[in-house]
Amino acid sequence: MFDIVALGELLIDFTESGLSPSGMRLFEQNAGGAPCNMLAAATRLGMSTAFIGKVGEDSHGRFLKKTIRDAGICTDGLLLDEKVFTTLAFVSLDEKGEREFSFARKPGADTRLKSEELNPEIVNNCRIFHFGSLSLTDDPARSATFAALRGARASKALVSYDPNYRKGLWKSPELAQKWIQAPLETVDIIKVSEEELEIVTGFSGLRDACAYLHGKNIQCVVITLGKEGAYVSLRGKGAALVEGAPDGELVDKTGAGDAFWGAFLSEYIKIGKTLDELLLEDAVHCARTANVVATLSISKRGGIPAMPYRREVQAALLQFNKEI
């Protein structure tokens, strides 16, 4: 039984890294993709994790498999396909650490995962099943995602969703909203960034967005607010604004939301309650820890490599708790 299983994209983030002697931009190869970033954060916090997805049978795909295996993530559900190339994302950073993405994904291996290729021993044996919206952009991965969702729900796993909107991967905002909203009624717990609220819910206000999502029977809604922290809402139990962690060194925001969610889910598992039993104060605790983990993650470059270890988190939490 795994604590967390995630399905979705595993790709290379080529992150801008200075200039060559001739003045040309250099890009650093980093393992990335939101689901595995999240799993890496959770694994470093003591969770048992597994990934389901597809990469190419190429140098990038082999590098990715080794990277997540070395990070402690089970790779039994990861397929290497010689017919397609590993998905690549080129990430440019501005002076504030904000990112601009350009994808090589026409098609990328992550979109080629088929329903019949899912490993039921992984899908059906987890406490939390997590997925994102990038696996919903194209078939056959879209159908595979819904098939995995049905299997996870049948096995009584908690379903977690991160609708990670990337405009360049959709033909139109309307199509994106259609498919991003399609699985909402199968979801138990969701993380949404403030910038993505409108595409996910049709509302930009925190309370209206939470009301919409609770109306889809989602019990726990968490909205990330960047350095301002997070807003947590439990259906029928109230909501709270959780302050952000003290500012640290800002190097690269890639994976900050994934670090947050890996920590939030890890703390939820450690509490040992069902969502029905979860109290608002429990959710606040999870978000406070997650804010610290996210802040630590942006002090390093890349996604998976930047996820902090438990000892780093514990030290930062001690300092944070002294300051609040």
Side-chain angles (χ1 to χ4, degrees):
M1 175 68 72
F2 294 100
D3 291 316
I4 308 172
V5 167
L7 179 150
E9 72 279 6
L10 177 60
L11 48 80
I12 299 292
D13 282 330
F14 280 111
T15 308
E16 194 171 349
S17 182
L19 299 175
S20 72
S22 60
M24 304 301 290
R25 286 190 298 171
L26 298 174
F27 288 84
E28 180 180 71
Q29 180 194 43
N30 285 306
C36 266
N37 289 341
M38 184 278 294
L39 289 180
T43 304
R44 289 185 175 179
L45 294 174
M47 297 295 106
S48 60
T49 64
F51 177 69
I52 299 169
K54 181 177 283 193
V55 293
E57 177 61 87
D58 50 47
S59 61
H60 295 308
R62 292 188 290 273
F63 165 75
L64 288 168
K65 183 174 182 177
K66 181 180 186 302
T67 298
I68 69 170
R69 185 176 60 224
D70 290 349
I73 301 167
C74 175
T75 60
D76 290 352
L78 174 62
L79 303 175
L80 278 71
D81 190 334
E82 63 182 12
K83 296 179 181 178
V84 284
F85 200 71
T86 299
T87 299
L88 309 178
F90 293 86
V91 188
S92 300
L93 303 173
D94 65 18
E95 64 277 4
K96 296 181 180 179
E98 297 294 345
R99 302 156 297 154
E100 180 180 345
F101 291 87
S102 179
F103 289 91
R105 194 185 188 231
K106 296 180 179 180
D110 67 295
T111 69
R112 301 295 93 189
L113 181 67
K114 301 174 183 178
S115 300
E116 59 268 28
E117 294 174 324
L118 297 173
N119 185 334
E121 293 299 315
I122 298 177
V123 174
N124 302 335
N125 287 285
C126 59
R127 292 180 173 84
I128 297 177
F129 175 81
H130 173 82
F131 71 106
S133 61
L134 265 66
S135 63
L136 302 176
T137 59
D138 299 274
D139 263 325
R142 181 189 300 143
S143 296
T145 302
F146 283 106
L149 275 171
R150 291 191 293 271
R153 291 199 67 83
S155 64
K156 308 300 182 184
L158 187 80
V159 174
S160 160
Y161 183 31
D162 176 9
N164 188 19
Y165 177 56
R166 293 284 179 261
K167 181 180 178 181
L169 297 180
W170 297 92
K171 293 180 180 178
S172 70
E174 293 76 20
L175 187 65
Q177 186 171 60
K178 171 189 172 181
W179 286 112
I180 286 173
Q181 291 182 345
L184 288 176
E185 293 184 356
T186 68
V187 172
D188 299 300
I189 181 169
I190 190 171
K191 177 193 77 72
V192 188
S193 71
E194 187 175 22
E195 296 80 13
E196 293 164 338
L197 279 183
E198 195 155 358
I199 196 76
V200 177
T201 71
F203 298 96
S204 57
L206 302 183
R207 292 183 180 179
D208 288 340
C210 287
Y212 173 86
L213 293 168
H214 288 318
K216 298 290 185 181
N217 294 321
I218 299 174
Q219 295 188 61
C220 179
V221 177
V222 183
I223 301 170
T224 53
L225 307 172
K227 67 179 182 179
E228 301 303 318
Y231 185 81
V232 296
S233 180
L234 295 182
R235 189 176 62 178
K237 299 177 184 178
L241 180 65
V242 183
E243 71 278 25
D247 289 340
E249 182 183 8
L250 174 55
V251 175
D252 181 2
K253 290 184 178 180
T254 301
D258 309 321
F260 176 96
W261 200 230
F264 190 100
L265 295 179
S266 298
E267 289 302 305
Y268 166 75
I269 289 171
K270 291 174 186 176
I271 287 170
K273 295 180 180 180
T274 67
L275 275 184
D276 287 335
E277 297 167 338
L278 197 70
L279 302 175
L280 184 58
E281 63 193 58
D282 297 322
V284 167
H285 162 77
C286 293
R288 183 171 288 124
T289 301
N291 282 334
V292 169
V293 173
T295 296
L296 289 172
S297 77
I298 65 176
S299 67
K300 301 175 184 177
R301 295 180 65 83
I304 291 174
M307 299 304 158
Y309 289 92
R310 182 160 48 185
R311 63 182 180 275
E312 299 174 81
V313 176
Q314 289 171 337
L317 279 169
L318 284 174
Q319 183 63 34
F320 184 27
N321 290 333
K322 288 178 183 177
E323 297 179 12
I324 60 174

